[in-house]
Amino acid sequence: IKEGVPLTRGGFYKSHPRFSPDGRRLVFTRADGHQLTRLVDLDVSEPSKERELLSCRGGCGRFDFSRDGQHIWMSSGRHYRRVNFYRELIEIGATEKSSMGDARVVTQGARFGQLTSERTGARVWGIASSWGRTWIEARSPRDGRVLFSWRPAGYERVSDPVPTSKGDAVFFSMHAKGNQDLYRYSLADKQLERLTYGASIEFDLRLTPDGRWLLYTSDVDDVYNIYAREVATGKTVR
């Protein structure tokens, strides 16, 4: 049995942990029930020392680091044409404390969330939604333009898109025909491959930095555990 080592103590809720590209820092959202949710940064070598990066007025959605580790891409609620409230792609600094007022709003009316930054830095991947439908998009971090889009055939729900290190394919979770499984879509040949089957739920995907393993959460053993699937062979370990 593999057990983790606690890095933090106290607090009500912590989510979306992300390592900086150099692996020295861990950034996550922290909520204690008394203040707005905050984006917190800690040094992995000294986890007792935390510092606040951002107070999440408008909400801290899922986020990821830029290629150089100097910026963070995030989805956050923003008013659009006064009456709408969409989750937009924003950019904030990753090295010093900032405010939502300092953020660069990249998109307008995008409804874009569940972000993962491509390691080449060329695209930010996420999930877009409208009128009950969801689909995968890759957007330009510079101006928010849609550079890639893939839509399921019907009302299947897609989530957690994770591109390969080269950006030639994307892994994701999709709820279709009563099951939520892992899928892979190849951008080169436009082929969709289903990777898991059964009644278990697979979600919360990440790739290891070397691109060898696809990590995800599954309740295939009746409780949620972390699994690693070797990309090249399909070998899976808990």
Side-chain angles (χ1 to χ4, degrees), residues 160-178:
D160 305 319
V162 176
T164 59
S165 56
K166 296 180 180 179
D168 57 350
V170 58
F171 297 98
F172 58 95
S173 175
M174 182 166 68
H175 187 275
K177 298 181 180 180

Side-chain angles (χ1 to χ4, degrees), residues 24 37-38 67 84 127 138 155:
R24 296 178 180 178
T37 302
R38 291 162 290 158
R67 182 182 183 182
N84 296 314
I127 298 297
Y155 283 88

Side-chain angles (χ1 to χ4, degrees), residues 89-126:
L89 173 62
I90 67 171
E91 178 192 42
I92 64 168
T95 58
E96 301 292 339
K97 183 177 180 180
S98 60
S99 69
M100 281 298 189
D102 301 324
R104 181 173 72 91
V105 182
V106 182
T107 60
Q108 296 291 329
R111 289 179 173 168
F112 186 67
Q114 301 187 35
L115 309 182
T116 301
S117 176
E118 193 172 298
R119 288 307 166 219
T120 62
R123 293 175 288 193
V124 177
W125 293 71

Side-chain angles (χ1 to χ4, degrees), residues 14-213:
K14 305 172 188 68
S15 61
H16 311 320
R18 294 289 181 263
F19 284 106
S20 60
D22 61 11
R24 296 178 180 178
R25 299 161 54 208
L26 181 66
V27 175
F28 57 94
T29 58
R30 172 191 280 277
D32 57 14
H34 300 287
Q35 305 177 63
L36 288 172
T37 302
R38 291 162 290 158
L39 199 65
V40 176
D41 176 30
L42 62 80
D43 187 319
V44 175
S45 63
E46 297 183 87
S48 60
K49 295 182 179 180
E50 294 182 8
R51 61 170 180 162
E52 180 180 320
L53 286 179
L54 183 71
S55 180
C56 301
R57 189 172 300 278
C60 281
R62 295 189 185 184
F63 61 90
D64 204 356
F65 279 89
S66 63
R67 182 182 183 182
D68 60 7
Q70 298 299 302
H71 299 90
I72 287 175
W73 306 113
M74 179 185 293
S75 62
S76 180
R78 286 290 187 276
H79 286 100
Y80 179 66
R81 294 179 178 174
R82 296 188 180 183
V83 296
N84 296 314
F85 195 70
Y86 291 164
R87 296 206 69 81
E88 306 287 8
L89 173 62
I90 67 171
E91 178 192 42
I92 64 168
T95 58
E96 301 292 339
K97 183 177 180 180
S98 60
S99 69
M100 281 298 189
D102 301 324
R104 181 173 72 91
V105 182
V106 182
T107 60
Q108 296 291 329
R111 289 179 173 168
F112 186 67
Q114 301 187 35
L115 309 182
T116 301
S117 176
E118 193 172 298
R119 288 307 166 219
T120 62
R123 293 175 288 193
V124 177
W125 293 71
I127 298 297
S129 63
S130 179
W131 297 104
R133 295 179 183 270
T134 58
W135 62 93
I136 297 171
E137 285 185 351
R139 288 181 173 263
S140 164
R142 183 175 60 85
D143 56 18
R145 286 182 300 115
V146 177
L147 303 177
F148 170 82
S149 179
W150 180 82
R151 296 178 180 240
Y155 283 88
E156 294 86 352
R157 306 291 294 182
V158 292
S159 61
D160 305 319
V162 176
T164 59
S165 56
K166 296 180 180 179
D168 57 350
V170 58
F171 297 98
F172 58 95
S173 175
M174 182 166 68
H175 187 275
K177 298 181 180 180
N179 290 323
Q180 185 165 342
D181 293 298
L182 301 181
Y183 290 80
R184 180 185 185 274
Y185 182 82
S186 172
L187 277 65
D189 55 19
K190 300 182 180 180
Q191 292 297 309
L192 178 67
E193 180 184 5
R194 185 176 178 179
L195 302 180
T196 60
Y197 296 81
S200 58
I201 298 174
E202 282 77 43
F203 65 102
D204 202 14
L205 286 62
R206 298 297 290 176
L207 271 175
T208 53
D210 59 6
R212 178 183 176 187
W213 298 92

